[in-house]
């Protein structure tokens, strides 16, 4: 009897696992197909603004997947699946090439060019040829390195220890800028932060959300000061209200992105915004 129950429990357990594993595999193979066909994957661009001047200074490229059966699938769902397989590295290459080409083709790299921020995966740092690949993409698309900003997370810094440092240094040598994404949510130590050649600290939305609380406001002020002490600029993520923007401006934060300025936009809408702002500036 006990033996029978044990066997049953085992069977249910493996069946549950099998369902989850099968779903994951199915998602993975559809993602493979999407990457091969090209038109299911899109890049949206979320504007980034200078807090002092109010000018548009760049945008973050954010991937979107329109599956023919399921419709829009969030990156929060498919990026983790891609990260468990080798797909994430192919996807990163795709986003870099695709959006650099888009920037060049639409004249966004000219005088007063906009910077383009692209998310790297922690998996990118297990690839010793990352910097070579980035440089090839820059050359192939004619994109000016100083306008490319690669975003990494604290996990990526910690994971590979000194390996990550060498990769970051070689990325930096290609002339691109580096931003630390979701700062404050991971577990990088301050000692590490000092060692890495970063340009921008991106203050996570969870801190911006609590700016109306005294402790939240104090935290954000401290993070902005920390960024400056280390020689980095700061960018606040997920700014939705004017009161948040004014606080950030007052404490010296340089840039923000968030629904207050704009949601991530499909490429065509992003171009409309850019030309609207250009004609307003001329008028
Ligand atoms: P992230 O890099 O921290 O990107 C910011 C996320 O916050 C985006 O979600 C953006 O739409 C959202 N956001 C921006 N402003 C606001 C706001 O004011 N309010 C709210 N509620 N949300 C805001 P999204 O596009 O769903 O992307 C989620 C995450 O997926 C990204 O977080 C990033 O970690 C990952 N991801 C997206 N695209 C890529 C990619 O091409 N490669 C990699 N490796 N990861 C990506
Ligand atoms: Mg990001
Ligand atoms: Mg972020
Ligand atoms: Mg995030």
């Amino acid at each position: 009897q006990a033996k029978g129950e044990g066997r049953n429990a085992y069977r249910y357990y493996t069946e549950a696992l099998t369902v989850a594993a099968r779903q994951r595999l199915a998602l993975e193979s559809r993602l493979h197909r999407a990457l091969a066909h090209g038109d299911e994957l899109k890049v949206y661009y979320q504007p980034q603004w200078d807090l002092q001047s109010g000018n548009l200074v760049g945008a973050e490229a954010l991937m979107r997947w329109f599956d023919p059966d399921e419709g829009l699938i969030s990156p929060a769902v498919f990026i983790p699946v891609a990260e468990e397989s080798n797909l994430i590295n192919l996807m990163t290459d795709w986003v870099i090439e695709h959006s650099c080409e888009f920037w060049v083709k639409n004249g966004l790299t000219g005088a007063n060019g906009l910077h383009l921020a692209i998310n790297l995966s922690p998996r990118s740092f297990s690839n010793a040829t990352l910097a070579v690949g980035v440089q090839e993409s820059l050359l192939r698309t004619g994109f000016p390195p100083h306008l490319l900003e690669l975003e990494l997370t604290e996990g990526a810094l910690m994971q590979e220890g000194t390996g990550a440092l060498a990769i970051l240094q070689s990325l930096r040598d290609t002339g691109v800028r580096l931003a630390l994404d979701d700062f404050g949510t991971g577990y990088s130590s301050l000692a590490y932060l000092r060692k890495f050649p970063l340009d921008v600290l991106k203050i996570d939305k969870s801190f911006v959300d609590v700016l109306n609380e005294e402790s939240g406001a104090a935290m954000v002020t401290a993070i902005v000061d920390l960024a400056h002490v280390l020689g980095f600029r700061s960018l606040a993520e997920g700014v939705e209200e004017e009161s948040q923007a004014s606080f950030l401006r007052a404490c010296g934060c340089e840039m923000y992105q968030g629904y207050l300025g704009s949601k991530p936009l499909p490429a065509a809408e992003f171009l409309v915004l850019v030309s609207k702002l250009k004609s307003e500036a001329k008028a």
Side-chain angles (χ1 to χ4, degrees):
Q1 170 89 40
K3 201 174 170 193
E5 262 172 23
R7 198 174 291 150
N8 261 346
Y10 176 72
R11 193 165 57 86
Y12 287 131
Y13 181 64
T14 48
E15 267 172 13
L17 261 190
T18 308
V19 169
R22 219 189 285 131
Q23 278 172 347
R24 204 190 67 87
L25 268 178
L27 196 64
E28 193 183 314
S29 76
R30 279 172 21 234
L31 200 48
H32 248 293
R33 187 198 57 200
L35 197 56
H37 290 199
D39 55 347
E40 289 176 30
L41 293 178
K42 303 258 185 285
V43 181
Y44 277 34
Y45 298 98
Q46 183 172 38
Q48 297 179 330
W49 314 86
D50 182 290
L51 274 162
Q52 299 303 326
S53 67
N55 289 339
L56 177 74
V57 289
E60 176 175 5
L62 293 159
M63 220 184 310
R64 295 290 178 268
W65 179 18
F66 295 90
D67 182 81
D69 303 322
E70 311 245 325
L72 180 65
I73 302 178
S74 162
V77 172
F78 70 81
I79 296 288
V81 172
E83 272 172 351
E84 283 172 45
S85 62
N86 191 42
L87 272 179
I88 192 64
N89 290 334
L90 296 173
M91 293 175 84
T92 303
D93 291 348
W94 181 80
V95 175
I96 293 177
E97 291 258 334
H98 181 90
S99 48
C100 285
E101 198 174 274
F102 175 75
W103 238 236
V104 171
K105 206 171 68 191
N106 292 287
L108 304 181
T109 54
N112 300 318
L114 298 176
H115 72 244
L116 169 64
I118 294 180
N119 291 284
L120 295 180
S121 153
R123 283 281 301 257
S124 303
F125 292 86
S126 52
N127 172 10
T129 61
L130 178 67
V132 177
V134 167
Q135 186 149 40
E136 279 171 5
S137 295
L138 291 169
L139 288 173
R140 199 153 39 227
T141 56
F143 191 95
H146 71 280
L147 289 178
L148 184 63
E149 186 171 289
L150 297 175
E151 296 190 3
L152 43 126
T153 55
E154 293 169 73
L157 296 187
M158 302 305 289
Q159 161 187 271
E160 299 285 317
T162 53
L165 182 54
I167 292 176
L168 288 184
Q169 202 56 63
S170 52
L171 279 173
R172 245 325 195 59
D173 293 342
T174 69
V176 307
R177 298 195 300 209
L178 302 174
L180 189 55
D181 203 357
D182 305 334
F183 179 69
T185 62
Y187 16 52
S188 61
S189 72
L190 294 178
Y192 262 75
L193 215 51
R194 252 184 92 236
K195 271 202 289 193
F196 289 98
L198 303 171
D199 299 277
V200 176
L201 274 197
K202 294 191 75 176
I203 304 168
D204 191 68
K205 178 178 190 304
S206 57
F207 297 103
V208 174
D209 286 342
V210 294
L211 268 179
N212 57 334
E213 293 166 31
E214 206 177 309
S215 59
M219 288 283 285
V220 168
T221 308
I223 296 174
V224 171
D225 288 345
L226 175 66
H228 294 164
V229 164
L230 294 166
F232 312 149
R233 284 172 307 139
S234 54
L235 182 150
E237 296 190 275
V239 175
E240 296 181 346
E241 289 160 26
E242 185 50 54
S243 60
Q244 296 168 333
S246 346
F247 182 90
L248 289 159
R249 192 177 299 120
C251 74
C253 180
E254 282 85 356
M255 295 162 285
Y256 86 94
Q257 68 186 84
Y259 295 174
L260 173 67
S262 171
K263 292 198 170 183
L265 300 171
E269 284 178 39
F270 179 69
L271 290 180
V272 170
L273 174 75
V274 170
S275 57
K276 193 182 119 220
L277 292 173
K278 251 192 208 143
S279 62
E280 278 173 11
K282 270 189 218 131

